[in-house]
Amino acid sequence: MTLDKTRQVAGFHDTAQALYVASYPRVLNGGAGFDSSKVRAMIGALVGFLVVAPLVQNGQPAVVLKDDGGTLAFRAVATDVIWLRFTPDGAKDQPTEMIDPKSALRKAKSVGSPEGDEWTSESLRAMTTPNEILIRTADGATNLTIERGDLAKGILDIKHPVAENFYGMRGYGLGNDSKLPRSDGLLRNDGAHVEGSAQGDGGAPLAYTTHWGVLVDSIDGDFANADGTLQFSHGSRKSIEAYIVLGPPERTLEVATLLTGRSPMPPKWGLGFMNSQWKTTEGEVKSIVNTYRYKRIPIDAFIMDFDFKAWGEDNFGEFRWNSQNNPGNYDPGKYPDGQSGVFGNEMAAKGIHLLGIMKPRVLVENADHSPTKQAVEANAKGWWLHPKPYTDYFSHRLANDFDFSKPEVRKFYWEHARDLFDTGISGWWNDEADDGFPSLGFFHMQQSLYEGQRSVSDRRVWSLNRNFYLGAQRMAFGTWSGDIGTGFDVMRDQEARMLVMLDLDQPEWSMDTGGFGGHPTPENYARWMEFAAAVPIMRVHNTYGEHRQPWVYSPVAEAAATQAIRWRYAMFPSFYSWQHNAYLTGVGISRPLFWEFPDDPGSANVTDSWMLGDSILVSPVNEQGQTKKDVYLPPGRWIPLPLAAMVRAPEGGGGMEVPQPVEGGTTVQVDTDATNWSDLPMFVRSGSILASQPVLQYMDEKPVTQITLDVWPDASREAKFTVYDDDGETYAYEHGAYFSQAVTATKKDGVTVSFDRRTGSYKTPVATYLVRIHGVSSGSATWNGRAVPAKQSQSALEITVTAGERGNLVLR
């Protein structure tokens, strides 16, 4: 394709383009002897058109060009981000629902400046030739070329360096629902169909390498990649609107969530252990909870399946507790104190939050086959997703699914679900809005509950959903991997499934630990629980009549599972800080290795290990009877971190001695405990800070007045950590009611641990930090120049400092 006036002098086209392209590298690098304005003037003279002047787009200056069949516009919306849109003639379509209506980046002020048909910012330059848009980083390290001719065909073609690995695009659905070979691991080098409608699956029109990425505003579509060209086609919009990021993976994810929305902070209890179960009664739940408390196994939430609802009870039984015995109820009266709120209050007094299952369908007939009231209304207003009802497998009566894409349906659904919220339900478990639903099935279903709850309460929303599409994360949207089976093969499969979901910019992931179907062996259960302790959401679940409590699986398995749960609770200050990072940047608790080590080829496709924050590499034991495990360590120094090392009793006390560092950039072999299953292979990165606290039985059991900061200083890497706290229950943090203090540690002529000035208005109960500096056997310590007492504890030196106070702790 050429500019309109170029077509009049087509014979000069190739000469003009060759001159422009040949000059491009020297123009970008400020090469002597070339003047970009002269180059453009020469091209203009050759092809007979004037360089297009910068125009205004969305109230901001942009390069705007008239192409065959439409209008092309682009500008820099950040120093490293190019926004591009091709609008076909006569098209007036709007952004998709994937884009956050409140996104500031979409309407951000232009960064840099236009000059003719070229845009320059501090980090990049973009210019046009008659056939292409050329995008390059200022240092010349990344060069991309967009074909203008295909834009009018609804195709975005980006030429890129051939030898690049691609990520994102699509997850792994249950079984082979995503149509992607699991042998690809994290890689999407051939492209993928973008969709999120299968169980445990996810989709995002987001493709990226370790140096650049592109987000296309579309619901569904197709990426293809071959011969150095990434192509996106079959998008949902008439226009092609894309954002091109020149930077590493975590920057691409940050920009993607600036556009589609950040994950709000979950309640603190959402990071605790959760017991989900199908087939329960009120009495059994009480008994299970009492056993957890008696055995001192921490737990914060119990998730109830069908049993807690009056499923099948005439008119709106799907929206109320199973507390009565009316006609049509499948299994009546299982929660006699639910509807009154008494049961919810009893559980709250024990530190247990109750969560309940939600379905997208309602019954269309009562027990006497007369239409239900909700069916009458839905029929009259055209609210159904399917043209005909079907038989509900649970009640065996006719049902139909709501079309949640309709705002009036979402309003109706929340108005009826609110009674559950008011009588003790603290979170939402949304199920079965996948098979037969579009990619935004769960997106819209949770939108109903998120917007509804936020309209009536300041309590944080929490939800779990069976698939994901980018943008849903802004609605307190967790995802789990679907109704999986049990066994080591299935457990191992979940590692890659989690990591590719994280690659889609969904930081909140979970699985049915132990497997939904079947009965795991004690060893499989123990190892699975250790795995689950190191993922964003830790929960167990089971099919009808099964149980997943630790004491069901032998004393050895119970001890291993209990230790894993306690480790998670001990690590809460670290997990909560990393969770807050997801709110700030889109990058949360669990992270694929290549995010943190983008320049390391060995980290490109690791599926059995991942990072927790930027500090811990975790690699769960995933084979039956495994006595040794090979673990790849990226470049740097790594310290083996025993599972029990960070666990402290409520009364305090230090952990066990931490071993000496090992060098990374290679694979190491780790001995594993095939007898007691009591280990979780972990390594802490030298130049890191971790925060821990005494183990509580539930998150708000009592105020925590001291946390421990374990510091591993390194001369080649500044250690960084942010201590973060808030009330853990409301959205007051959005308005400044939080506590945040950045901590750094450097090693040069001794060790200096620096504490920045605190920010935020929240009055944290944390009064002191116990700073444990590892690798230091002796020495003097000063706080802001004043000598302070230091205690030697195994391989670390311990000093207590005041939380929130600005200062430097120096060891020499």
Side-chain angles (χ1 to χ4, degrees), residues 210 248-251 253 503 578 581 585 587-600 603 610-617 634-635 638 685 688 717:
T210 55
E250 291 187 355
R251 175 57 178 162
L253 299 173
D503 282 347
W578 298 330
N581 198 65
T585 70
V587 177
I589 295 171
S590 300
R591 308 171 188 182
L593 294 189
F594 79 91
W595 288 10
E596 296 296 323
F597 303 92
D599 297 323
D600 174 33
S603 298
W610 56 92
M611 296 296 292
L612 294 177
D614 65 351
S615 301
I616 298 178
L617 186 150
W638 299 86
R685 190 179 182 184
S688 292
R717 180 174 188 260

Side-chain angles (χ1 to χ4, degrees), residues 92 97 137 139 178 193 205 320 402 454 475 515 571 694 715 806:
K92 295 182 179 180
E97 292 175 276
T137 53
D139 61 6
S178 67
H193 174 58
R320 64 174 176 265
F402 282 128
R454 291 215 63 171
M475 293 176 286
M571 291 296 296
R806 186 179 186 181

